[in-house]
Amino acid sequence: ARQRLGEYEAALGLWQRSRTDAESRGDHARSARIARKMGLACFWSGRFEEALAHFDAGLLAATRAGEDAERAQIQLNRATFWQTIGKPREAESDLSAALETAQRLGETALLARAHRALLFLRAFVGPPEASRAHGERALALAEEIGDRNVMWSAHWGLATLAGLTGDGDAAMRHVKQCEQLADDLGSPLLRLYSDEIAMQYAFASGNWDEGIALSERTIATARAANQRLLLPRLLVWAAQFYTARAEYDRAKQYLDEAWEIGVARAARGRPIEVHSQITVYAGLAAYYLALGEFARAVEIGEQGLAIADRTGYVVWATYRLIPVTAEAAFWKRDGERAMHLRQRMQDESERLGNRLGLVWAGAGDGLIARLNGDFAAAAELLRTSITDLEKIPWIYDAARLRRWLADVLIRTGNQEEGIKELRKSHEICASLGAKVELEHAREMMKTLGLRLPAREGVSGKRVAKLTERETDIARLVSERKSNKEIASALGISARTVTTHVANIFSKLGVTSRGELADRMREGAATT
């Protein structure tokens, strides 16, 4: 129970007492199980050297006891450790042995966990079809035996795979299942990992106010639960909102903290979590790109790509790192590097079947065509990329490309259509509060002699629109219903209601249920 709550020190103390008792009795089977639990406690709190020592001790004890199933389970846990520190070959070795044991023993629960672990490995090293097949198999087996923990992690792995490869609809379908299972299990830690994907989807889909509110709550919870393994990524995902809104001090504060937790450990010779490390490099590269420090962005991006190459985690590179680095190289006028990165994006995405990566490659072609003066080709390529990004959906990036589409359309003589695209880009960025890109659009409008629209959304004082579900909840809050009563009325969990209420407060700028009731009576919140 302590471990599931993230109270790792307290959990380790209890485990050690039990393990000492097992060893004094010569109970190797029990000692193996406890060593595995201790390895997990150390793993989730970022103490990787200790985690490996416990897993190795558990394997030895399981072998002495002749406990093949327990040995296979420890191999699965150790494989996750190997994946985390960037050693996929060692992970695959452990996973192959564990899968063979599970098949030989015919244990459904163990087999489900083996497929779940293979889902995660293949999600990051490819191919995605293999990852998806393992995930669906794990989910089917877990549902067969009613193992909700494995069901949750299979949905989470499939959501991660969908997000990395640009299938937004599938990502959110699996996240909704994760949220429900986390609530059913009463696990705040599982909810944290579900919220991580929801944060990224909020940024991509343009729900920035909700995404920022969710980010701040999730970061606070992760800190309180000592989730040092997850925290660096959460900080980076939050920083992307603040970077795009030109809140640079806040963004850099989060990125510096993520660097210290997720990267600086490596300089001190300690194993680190590679997923977070690559993400931190991508976040910093995007930050320097927004500042216009293109050489620094390229330098940071190349460092991150070297880690992705060394570990084989190329999916992370195609997700954000290559596009950001290539764009910085483009603005640095380093055409050779930009072309190399664009070709790499194309090759890796085709090999992995990565839909999002192929869209980025097409966008890169459009920008390169524009740089080379082939404006007609650039317009066609950019228009296609915008359409594809909005389908995923990646709303902000599509809006950024609209400004460049406007530029090339005007250069081809189609000024009316170009101005239309520029105004659309401005409108979207204003609604998001995306100040960096908004100012670029306004500068372009000034150059063209256009009348400047108002900066709606940038001040944070715009009138927010609530979703249909949020409107229902706000109405029930104004009727003095408790979260529990609202949950019962709408057929959702009380925790989900709490999340919606927090989002409503953030959107409308209110701080109490009474103030929300007043706003509802004024009719300020509309669907």
Side-chain angles (χ1 to χ4, degrees), residues 14-54:
L14 293 168
W15 288 129
Q16 186 57 58
R17 286 171 57 187
S18 186
R19 185 175 176 182
T20 299
D21 176 71
E23 289 174 346
S24 69
R25 299 171 184 269
D27 190 342
H28 297 303
R30 182 167 164 231
S31 180
R33 290 193 297 273
I34 296 167
R36 179 169 64 84
K37 297 290 188 180
M38 295 180 75
L40 290 171
C42 292
F43 173 75
W44 291 117
S45 55
R47 294 154 60 173
F48 295 142
E49 298 97 332
E50 295 174 59
L52 181 58
H54 288 306

Side-chain angles (χ1 to χ4, degrees), residues 116-137:
R116 172 187 62 182
L118 285 161
L119 153 67
F120 293 134
L121 177 64
R122 292 298 168 202
F124 294 105
V125 301
E129 294 81 6
S131 177
R132 193 172 297 108
H134 284 299
E136 290 171 353
R137 182 60 176 153

Side-chain angles (χ1 to χ4, degrees), residues 270-291:
R270 301 175 62 188
I272 62 165
E273 205 265 344
V274 174
H275 301 297
S276 291
Q277 190 178 20
I278 297 174
T279 302
V280 172
Y281 278 99
L284 280 167
Y287 170 80
Y288 286 112
L289 174 64
L291 289 178

Side-chain angles (χ1 to χ4, degrees), residues 469-488:
R469 174 51 59 86
E470 288 170 342
T471 301
D472 291 339
I473 290 173
R475 174 178 53 78
L476 291 169
V477 168
S478 69
E479 295 173 4
R480 301 182 182 276
K481 301 291 186 183
S482 68
N483 285 3
K484 186 175 181 180
E485 290 171 327
I486 295 172
S488 177

